[in-house]
Amino acid sequence: MDTTEKQTGLLLLGIGGGGCRLVSQVVKRTAHDIRAICVDTDSQTDRQDVDEADRVPFKLIGGSRLSGHGAGGDPIAGRAAAQDDLANLLALTQDIRMVIVVTCLGGGTGSGASGEIVKKLHDNGFTTLCLVTKPFAFEGKVRKQTADRYLPMIEEHASSLCVISLDDLFQETGEDILERALAAADKQLCECLALLWKLLYRSGFIRINSENLHNLASHGGHICMGYGCAAGEGRAKGAVAALKQNRLLQRGETLSKANALILGILAGSDLRLSEIGEIMADIAALCPANCDIQMGTVQDESYSGSIELVAMVFDSWTVVREQPPIATDIPVRVNPRAKKNASGGSKLGFGPHGRGRFENVETTTFQGEDLDVPTYVRRGMTLET
Amino acid sequence: MAKSTVLAGLEIGTTRTVICVGEVSKNSELEILGVGTYPTTGVRKGKITDLTQATVSVEAAIKDAQSKLNVTIWDVTLAVSGGPIDFSVNPGIISLGDKRITAEDVAYVTSLAKENKIPDECELLHSFEQQFIVDDQPGILNPLGMQCKKLQLDMMSVYGRTNQIANLQNVAEKAQLRIQDMAFSSVCASMVTLTPEQRKNGVVLIELGGGSTNYIVFNNDVICAVGSIGVGGDHVTNDIALAFNIVNAQAEEIKRAEGSALVDADSTGPRIQLPQEIGFNQRSISRKALHSVINARMDETFRVIRKMLVDSGLLPHLGGGIVLTGGGAYLNKVSELAQNVFNIPCSVASLLPIKGVEKLENPASFATAVGLVTFAWEGLKTSKKQGFWQSLREVFK
């Protein structure tokens, strides 16, 4: 692993057939500079329909249980398969602080395994940014019910969550020919993730601080990702207009309620400072006055003549604006759910006076004592070290 | 019955969901076929916190049972546990002049005793006859034919919170199950673990669950008290996690592998090595410290129950001792600790000789689930509802 990854500790994790396919596309767009792993119960996924050179490291889960044949659309089998290999998966996360999990709900592995894996990552102190897709309406009631049933399990433990309806995404492409629609949808999704990585690691006029992303993701909430692009005269305003009209951002409604926004501007070397100013002014006008907007640029000659915008909107939870300095490289174990509190501030104490996992659960009291606080604390016991 | 009947009991525990399946043969013999289990999510302290997750656990347990036992499960008896479960005793009193007590008199006083007002937002689970009092003479079990001026029946009503019970029902229904009946988990566990002698001599059954600790007290073959505390094995795990700054999963493993409810000579053994974690050097913890944390929590839990027994005047009447069930009963030296706290004999439950229970591993942890099937079987034997309660009383004879 190169020095860049080591410093920031970002991992892209695809789960299930759909998730693995998307991750492969992202890796291809970032020229393999991003650390990524694909996880599935189907050993066929390892082929990933790509060239050998483009293949992403693959981890088969539930091999002893399912023999590499896949979960067969059964999320319970997917869940059990993940439980079989959680320890092995964790071993792949050396030097990692944040995991971006990509999965497509509706099937067996994507639905069943994702919740278990995200929970394991959460329990081990990782920040998880989850991007999940929900199946098309035409895929049927069963897949929809499976997706609806298992999404809350991911939501419970994910630091941040982005849910994308495939119906919305494909309508956004405006394409009817299947192949073109698939390519356009992949471009939107994968370009968003790839651009995010480029904003963090590639050279550009302004880079996004990885610590800021980590902080935003760990504070939790629902994320919406949107995409807009334009070329030629007035491309700056055109790109913003396209972004505003993006169905995934509910045609600008999400922007109007954003607490925080990461905006990536992808353009060639012909990007002008005035265009950046135009873009930022238009975006600021769409967002609330107190929205924390962080912008980064990536310059890539293949995008000369056009501007692409990717927005990651955090629209649910309160964002802490002042970052405490981080003195060391040791990953800080922050429980993101501690921040998920409408009144602001963490209620979870990691010290002995906290209630641990019984935070946010009805208290058990006996004769005025809170029994959820550890007994050894209330008895004032000193433990042998 | 013309053909065998399949009965199932569903226990949605905080740690584990269990579905126990039994079959009643043509000659009316109950056999336990086996259990299906699955780790539970979406439940804390015995209460549903996430309907969807809990439903997933139930569905998986059903699938496990169906595939292992080659049965189809539609109808279940559902266990209710987790706080608060409480009880009240209501007397039904009638004046008879001075005559012999008839069956109609008994039926009438029973109906009066059942008119027990329970708190708002609570739902009745059980009604148990405790004793008849004939002209201020207590302890009468069958007053029929006795000369009497005043007849009184004390009826215990056991109840739980309506919304919590409704949530359990919702989970079962979302998992495509029909609920035939519901029962307090300790009532069921007592049916398959306690002997008539124990119930007569006085015994308390303590169910050490993951999310709650439930208990039921018998004396003179009568249920004297029931209760539930929202403290369980999860609290022990949480205490360990916070004391040593480790994740819950690791705390649970250490509790099971190295834990002890007592701090004694065995606590001076070698330090316990923790698996290396990302960003942290390998650590070890003192065995004595671990046992101290566990001992503090378990000791307190037992003392809470002890206080309830002392306040109700029941503790001196427990000649049958203490019986422990649930997963927590397998914590190392927990029965010794209970013995120290209550100062009466304590043992881990073993299931009564019901056909098929010998197949179960750690049988005390399945006492509630097996008890649910037995409860369902007893219910089936009786056709009329008013007779059912009498029949339930018959069970404890």
Side-chain angles (χ1 to χ4, degrees), chain B residues 260-274:
Chain B
S260 173
L262 285 182
V263 182
D264 56 12
D266 291 338
S267 304
T268 57
R271 292 178 71 83
I272 300 166
Q273 300 297 320
L274 300 178

Side-chain angles (χ1 to χ4, degrees), chain A residues 4-332:
Chain A
T4 307
E5 288 177 66
K6 209 164 190 175
Q7 286 171 347
T8 53
L10 185 69
L11 172 69
L12 186 62
L13 177 67
I15 304 175
C20 294
R21 186 179 60 77
L22 288 171
V23 163
S24 302
Q25 297 290 325
V26 173
V27 167
K28 206 171 170 182
R29 281 173 162 77
T30 58
H32 288 264
D33 284 345
I34 187 169
R35 185 171 171 190
I37 297 172
C38 287
V39 168
D40 200 2
T41 53
D42 186 353
S43 56
Q44 300 277 339
T45 304
D46 192 17
R47 296 196 192 145
Q48 295 168 28
D49 296 325
V50 294
D51 299 332
E52 186 73 41
D54 291 331
R55 211 169 280 178
V56 174
F58 177 79
K59 174 72 187 160
L60 181 73
I61 55 171
S64 54
R65 179 187 294 268
L66 302 171
S67 306
H69 296 313
D74 181 359
I76 295 172
R79 191 176 176 190
Q83 288 173 344
D84 290 346
D85 284 299
L86 283 173
N88 293 337
L89 286 172
L90 211 56
L92 301 172
T93 55
Q94 291 286 335
D95 301 316
I96 294 298
R97 295 182 70 195
M98 180 169 156
V99 182
I100 299 180
V101 177
V102 181
T103 189
C104 299
L105 296 179
T109 309
S111 305
S114 299
E116 288 296 323
I117 293 172
V118 170
K119 180 178 184 302
K120 187 70 174 175
L121 292 170
H122 165 267
D123 286 348
N124 284 272
F126 294 98
T127 299
T128 49
L129 195 164
C130 296
L131 191 152
V132 306
T133 67
K134 293 180 76 172
F136 292 103
F138 61 69
E139 290 188 64
K141 194 175 161 188
V142 171
R143 287 181 73 90
K144 180 186 183 306
Q145 282 178 341
T146 301
D148 290 340
R149 182 166 292 172
Y150 284 85
L151 178 60
M153 293 180 69
I154 299 173
E155 190 173 14
E156 184 184 1
H157 295 107
S159 307
S160 302
L161 177 67
C162 177
V163 181
I164 294 176
S165 159
L166 288 179
D167 282 319
D168 286 347
L169 181 62
F170 271 64
Q171 281 186 35
E172 185 58 36
T173 65
E175 295 282 351
D176 194 37
I177 303 290
L178 180 62
E179 193 179 337
R180 284 190 220 145
L182 276 172
D186 276 357
K187 181 181 163 71
Q188 283 222 21
L189 267 181
C190 301
E191 201 64 51
C192 286
L193 284 174
L195 181 57
L196 180 65
W197 185 88
K198 290 173 189 173
L199 288 169
L200 293 170
Y201 304 133
R202 289 271 180 88
S203 62
F205 177 56
I206 302 169
R207 281 174 68 178
I208 296 288
N209 186 324
S210 63
E211 200 52 46
N212 287 348
L213 173 64
H214 182 268
N215 195 45
L216 282 172
S218 65
H219 278 87
H222 285 279
I223 301 173
C224 293
M225 292 177 83
Y227 174 86
C229 71
E233 191 73 27
R235 60 186 184 170
K237 284 202 178 302
V240 174
L243 182 72
K244 187 185 169 187
Q245 288 304 311
N246 191 292
R247 191 183 291 265
L248 299 182
L249 293 179
Q250 288 156 5
R251 305 206 189 286
E253 196 180 321
T254 307
L255 288 170
S256 67
K257 297 181 216 165
N259 283 332
L261 169 67
I262 290 181
L263 181 71
I265 303 174
L266 178 61
S269 57
D270 59 346
L271 179 66
R272 292 191 289 276
L273 198 59
S274 59
E275 287 177 317
I276 298 177
E278 268 184 71
I279 290 168
M280 291 307 293
D282 288 352
I283 291 289
L286 293 172
C287 298
N290 61 349
C291 177
D292 179 12
I293 302 174
Q294 299 183 34
M295 181 270 293
T297 64
V298 175
Q299 281 166 290
D300 188 330
E301 278 313 308
S302 61
Y303 290 89
S304 284
S306 66
I307 287 177
E308 292 195 4
L309 299 179
V310 168
M312 188 181 275
V313 181
F314 298 78
D315 70 349
S316 292
W317 298 331
T318 305
V319 174
V320 174
R321 306 219 180 275
E322 293 181 4
Q323 324 293 338
I326 297 188
T328 70
D329 288 334
I330 296 172
V332 176

Side-chain angles (χ1 to χ4, degrees), chain A residues 74-77 79-80 83 90 93-96 116 119-120 122-126 148-154 156-157 330-331 333 349-358 360-367 369-376 378-379 381-385, chain B residues 38-42 44-45 47 49-50 52-53 55-57 59-60 63 84 161 164 174 176 229-231 234-235 237-240 242-245 247-249 253 267 271 277-280 285-289 292-293 295-300 303-305 307-308 311:
Chain A
D74 181 359
I76 295 172
R79 191 176 176 190
Q83 288 173 344
L90 211 56
T93 55
Q94 291 286 335
D95 301 316
I96 294 298
E116 288 296 323
K119 180 178 184 302
K120 187 70 174 175
H122 165 267
D123 286 348
N124 284 272
F126 294 98
D148 290 340
R149 182 166 292 172
Y150 284 85
L151 178 60
M153 293 180 69
I154 299 173
E156 184 184 1
H157 295 107
I330 296 172
R333 285 167 163 261
F350 279 97
H353 299 284
R355 298 169 71 232
R357 69 187 298 170
F358 300 108
N360 302 323
V361 177
E362 187 181 343
T363 308
T364 300
T365 56
F366 182 72
Q367 296 187 324
E369 272 200 88
D370 180 352
L371 298 187
D372 293 334
V373 174
T375 309
Y376 74 89
R378 288 180 281 110
R379 287 184 176 181
M381 290 167 56
T382 305
L383 299 177
E384 185 181 270
T385 54
Chain B
Y38 200 80
T40 307
T41 49
R44 279 274 185 276
K45 298 186 185 181
K47 301 172 201 171
T49 55
D50 188 309
T52 305
Q53 290 192 17
T55 305
V56 167
S57 304
E59 286 173 342
K63 192 178 173 188
R161 258 201 219 154
Q164 286 166 15
K174 278 179 77 153
Q176 313 299 320
I229 313 163
V231 172
D234 267 6
H235 283 77
T237 305
N238 191 54
D239 288 1
I240 296 171
L242 292 176
F244 304 108
N245 200 20
V247 295
N248 275 286
E253 280 175 28
S267 304
R271 292 178 71 83
E277 290 180 61
I278 296 153
F280 292 88
I285 61 172
S286 156
R287 191 171 296 267
K288 186 178 175 186
S292 299
V293 169
N295 170 263
R297 174 60 75 176
M298 293 307 302
D299 179 85
E300 179 182 63
R303 285 187 190 282
V304 167
I305 298 174
K307 179 149 193 351
M308 291 177 177
D311 290 347

